[in-house]
Amino acid sequence: MDSTSPIAGPPDTAVPGLARVGRASLQTRVYDELTRSLTHGAFAAGQVLRMQALADTMGVSIMPVREALGRLATERALEIMPNRSARVPLITEERLTDLARARCLVEGELVRMAVPRLTPEDWAVLRAQTAECETAFNRLDEEHASQTSQLNHQFHFTIYGAAGSDVLLPIVRSLWMQSGPCVRASAIIYGRNPSLTAVHHHWALIEALEARDAEAAVRALHADITQSFALIRDDMRKAAGDG
């Protein structure tokens, strides 16, 4: 069988969070689908992804899956494991700190760049996206954690896309791919604690953007990023204390 030929028939064991891919440019399409799933929190930290199950789910052979997993491993989004598998990196306090610092630096600069470029039409889109995200969080459970992650992604990248930086945007995409399991974990924590508000920093960020106040916008963004990471850190420490 050609290494890029689709595998006929439905998969025996499907991997949640993935869709089948078409025939064209299979290596790229497999990589893009895995990247989308990682970014949107479809996979949990520590989850083991077996190459054959991934290939069956996406309707491709092992080769493009192996190549995509290798590429994602070099980007620190996955770890290659024995027996034809990869693992989503575990969440540690060191990783949380590193990701939060990098995201605040890069995304803060994109927000500064976007402030003079965003239009009233953009602000309306951001308000609609935040309202939709707020509604999703109100009915959140573990099964819908990836939905809130997708909505949160749409909101942030509406802003970052307006910045117009061809250099910084790929960097922030990589950071979000690495942060996907963390975003999923924080969404689950929000779901367990209805008293927590997940999007109030979004509203503050929108108000600062509308006022063309770059520094206030960056402060709201940093608060949004660090709140989620702090929730995970606190949850990990509580779990360790209970153990």
Side-chain angles (χ1 to χ4, degrees), residues 22-164:
R23 294 174 179 268
S25 305
L26 277 183
Q27 288 89 343
T28 298
R29 292 174 69 90
V30 168
Y31 170 82
D32 288 346
E33 175 61 14
L34 286 168
T35 297
R36 181 196 64 79
S37 296
L38 284 162
T39 300
H40 292 158
F43 305 137
Q47 182 175 343
V48 174
L49 305 174
R50 304 197 180 281
M51 291 186 190
Q52 190 61 61
L54 295 173
D56 290 347
T57 300
M58 291 186 282
V60 300
S61 63
I62 284 285
M63 186 60 70
V65 173
R66 181 187 292 115
E67 292 176 354
L69 293 181
R71 182 176 172 186
L72 289 166
T74 65
E75 296 174 348
R76 305 296 296 273
L78 290 175
E79 301 167 343
I80 299 300
M81 304 289 285
N83 302 320
R84 291 186 163 190
S85 64
R87 184 178 72 177
V88 181
L90 297 171
I91 298 175
T92 64
E93 289 204 30
E94 292 78 12
R95 185 170 178 82
L96 286 172
T97 299
D98 207 16
L99 283 170
R101 181 189 300 115
R103 285 191 53 189
C104 284
L105 285 170
V106 178
E107 294 174 46
E109 188 59 31
L110 283 168
V111 164
R112 284 192 181 91
M113 296 170 67
V115 165
R117 301 168 66 104
L118 288 164
T119 66
E121 289 75 18
D122 294 322
W123 301 333
V125 169
L126 291 169
R127 287 187 171 275
Q129 289 171 333
T130 299
E132 185 178 4
C133 193
E134 194 167 48
T135 299
F137 268 106
N138 288 336
R139 61 171 185 267
L140 181 64
D141 56 29
E142 185 166 350
E143 182 180 349
H144 298 99
S146 62
Q147 180 191 15
T148 57
S149 297
Q150 290 180 49
L151 293 169
N152 184 52
H153 179 275
Q154 290 172 7
F155 170 82
H156 281 272
F157 278 79
T158 295
I159 300 170
Y160 304 155

Side-chain angles (χ1 to χ4, degrees), residues 186-236:
S186 67
I188 292 170
I189 295 170
Y190 280 118
R192 294 201 309 258
N193 298 274
S195 62
L196 295 174
T197 55
V199 298
H200 63 282
H201 293 305
H202 286 198
W203 293 116
L205 176 52
I206 292 170
E207 289 180 7
L209 293 172
E210 291 177 336
R212 306 289 188 191
D213 187 337
E215 294 310 311
V218 171
R219 286 195 299 272
L221 173 76
H222 287 180
D224 184 41
I225 293 172
T226 56
Q227 174 177 269
S228 295
F229 283 89
L231 284 174
I232 301 170
R233 187 179 293 106
D234 290 345
D235 199 61
M236 291 170 60

